[in-house]
Amino acid sequence: KKVVKGESYETLRYSFKPSSVKNQPGVLWKQKERVDDPVGTKVFVEFKGDESKVVEAPAGGKSPVLAEPVTHIFEGTMQEGSAHDCLLIVDSSGNARLELLSASAQLKKITSGTVPSV
């Protein structure tokens, strides 16, 4: 098992990402088990989509029908990176360096539930 000291790099991969969130910023939550080791950490990412869902007013209510953004939540667990998982970083001047990934997570969209409270 690798021990990560100093800088570490992690990646998130999506099994499916709706087109409505492809260019949207998201919010990342990590449930940290151990500070020195990202492996086994639960990861959640939440996006507000471009599309809206209709929310009906309560029965007998005089409120209009409301539309609110659809929330997409993804969940995964950090796994140890292999000796071949690397990240190419190119800065604004064109200099490039190759860094070893310490961990990665394959994220899957969850259909119900919420992200954990912080």
Side-chain angles (χ1 to χ4, degrees), residues 17-81:
K17 195 171 178 186
S19 59
S20 64
V21 299
K22 286 204 188 232
N23 296 317
Q24 300 292 329
V27 179
L28 171 69
W29 281 270
K30 290 174 88 176
Q31 288 182 328
K32 215 51 164 150
E33 296 297 324
R34 292 178 23 202
V35 176
D36 62 335
D37 187 5
V39 175
T41 300
K42 276 286 216 192
V43 178
F44 298 88
V45 179
E46 179 181 55
F47 292 97
K48 301 287 186 203
D50 287 340
E51 74 277 20
S52 297
K53 66 179 176 182
V54 175
V55 179
E56 299 288 336
K62 296 183 181 181
S63 299
V65 174
L66 303 173
E68 63 182 39
V70 173
T71 300
H72 300 278
I73 300 172
F74 298 84
E75 175 183 26
T77 303
M78 297 305 288
Q79 303 294 321
E80 185 174 5

